[in-house]
Amino acid sequence: MSNSGDQAFRKADNRGRWPEMTYGGALSFLRRRYSQVLDGVDVAVMGVPFDNAVSFRPGCRLGPRAVRQASVQLAELSAFPWGFDPFEHLDVVDFGDVMLDPHHPETIGDAIKTQVADILSTDTKLLSIGGDHSISYPILQAHAEKYGPVALIQIDAHCDTWADDGVRSDHGTMFARAAKQGIVDVGKSTQVGLRTYNDTDCGFEILTSPWIHRNGIDAALDIVKQRAKDAPVYISFDIDGLDPAFAPGTGTPVPGGLNSWQGLEFIRGLKTLNLIGMDVVEVSPPFDHAEITALAAAHIAHDWLCLLAAQAGAQESPVGRI
């Protein structure tokens, strides 16, 4: 039997990769092996297919499947611009999707938090693919229990800190709750790309999309790094942080956002931080065109893994002027 094709379930280990037809074979994120055995695993990739908390267009429960499918080309070449294969330096598995019962919505948060806590208890880092943005709250709960209050870097069109009653299921209020409960250290946290109005900053530093367009990604990175310092950093990337021209397949699109290149350059600039976890959320395939949104999400998630690979010793060897 040849070492090629269907490595998502045929490969016996988590390092390296086999040749695959980009247009065929078993799908997993970046063709990683499906496994829930986490001994020695550096990063687990988990889908969270939930969108009952949306406030406008639905469909992001289908996001994990779409992002996995959009990741196939990223699994065939060395990573750009890094010039290395991240899976020669990281053990990464596709954990599959967390099992949820949408007919008992009161169980969703605990189900997500419990699964995340179980993964983190093995000293495995987690890359979560949503799903609507409300999933970040139980994920953050589990991370804060392990690491203490986290520095949140939120890329988003919206603040997600609107008035919260402490119990509602809403993808626009969960960071107000996290801040109030001390799960997030707002003094070390930054919101990036915002372009909707809220009458309070809740203590976050807010770098609006117009500010970034005027001042640039490097200026944004300087502020983010100065605030986070050596704190444990959790990144939450709502795909609507990108302009609808680059991410039409999302539930609450807002014009004037970041370009794809700005989002990628921002993520690539975070290598010096203490990165503990990430989610990429709000990809809604029914509103996508030609996989534009899913492709952007897959690249963003892939580059976070490349950051971890670089931190683990992968040597960058870019080609051309970078």
Side-chain angles (χ1 to χ4, degrees), residues 38-237:
L38 300 180
D39 296 339
V41 171
D42 297 305
V43 185
V45 182
M46 184 178 74
V48 189
F50 176 78
D51 65 2
N52 289 23
V54 299
S55 55
F56 188 32
R57 306 191 307 200
C60 53
R61 68 181 62 186
L62 304 175
R65 181 182 299 176
V67 174
R68 286 185 174 104
Q69 179 171 314
S71 74
V72 292
Q73 287 192 98
L74 287 166
E76 65 176 342
L77 299 173
S78 291
F80 177 86
W82 313 89
F84 56 65
D85 175 358
F87 308 121
E88 294 294 341
H89 304 272
L90 292 177
D91 274 36
V92 180
V93 299
D94 192 320
F95 192 84
D97 291 347
V98 60
M99 186 64 185
L100 303 172
D101 184 352
H103 307 293
H104 288 282
E106 73 281 359
T107 67
I108 297 296
D110 286 342
I112 296 171
K113 179 186 174 185
T114 297
Q115 185 64 85
V116 174
D118 287 347
I119 292 171
L120 297 182
S121 71
T122 68
D123 292 326
T124 302
K125 291 183 179 179
L126 181 63
L127 169 59
S128 301
I129 303 173
D132 72 48
H133 214 161
S134 72
I135 69 168
S136 297
Y137 175 71
I139 294 172
L140 281 169
Q141 283 182 302
H143 278 80
E145 287 182 1
K146 180 176 178 66
Y147 294 99
V150 305
L152 176 67
I153 300 175
Q154 175 194 350
I155 301 91
D156 208 320
H158 310 87
C159 61
D160 295 341
T161 55
W162 283 288
D164 177 59
D165 60 11
V167 294
R168 63 189 291 118
S169 177
D170 188 333
H171 71 161
T173 63
M174 67 284 171
F175 292 138
R177 188 180 309 177
K180 182 178 181 180
Q181 294 177 347
I183 295 169
V184 168
D185 183 343
V186 294
K188 297 180 179 179
S189 300
T190 310
Q191 296 176 315
V192 177
L194 269 58
R195 53 194 185 277
T196 49
Y197 185 77
N198 189 19
D199 57 7
T200 177
D201 59 19
C202 285
F204 290 95
E205 178 72 44
I206 297 176
L207 306 180
T208 68
S209 184
W211 185 92
I212 292 172
H213 291 321
R214 289 195 304 271
N215 292 276
I217 292 297
D218 287 343
L221 286 168
D222 286 345
I223 292 170
V224 167
K225 291 176 183 178
Q226 288 169 12
R227 286 177 67 80
K229 293 187 170 63
D230 60 352
V233 171
Y234 185 89
I235 302 171
S236 185
F237 201 119

Side-chain angles (χ1 to χ4, degrees), residues 214-269:
R214 289 195 304 271
N215 292 276
I217 292 297
D218 287 343
L221 286 168
D222 286 345
I223 292 170
V224 167
K225 291 176 183 178
Q226 288 169 12
R227 286 177 67 80
K229 293 187 170 63
D230 60 352
V233 171
Y234 185 89
I235 302 171
S236 185
F237 201 119
D238 187 328
I239 205 66
D240 73 21
L242 302 183
D243 189 88
F246 305 94
T250 192
T252 48
V254 182
L258 304 180
N259 299 324
S260 296
W261 73 264
Q262 290 175 307
L264 290 166
E265 283 295 292
F266 180 79
I267 293 297
R268 291 167 184 164

Side-chain angles (χ1 to χ4, degrees), residues 15-37:
R15 289 285 178 116
R17 50 193 172 186
W18 289 350
E20 294 267 3
M21 296 182 294
T22 53
Y23 46 84
L27 286 177
S28 62
F29 185 68
L30 299 171
R31 304 291 194 177
R32 293 298 84 203
R33 187 168 73 104
Y34 275 111
S35 178
Q36 296 191 350
V37 178

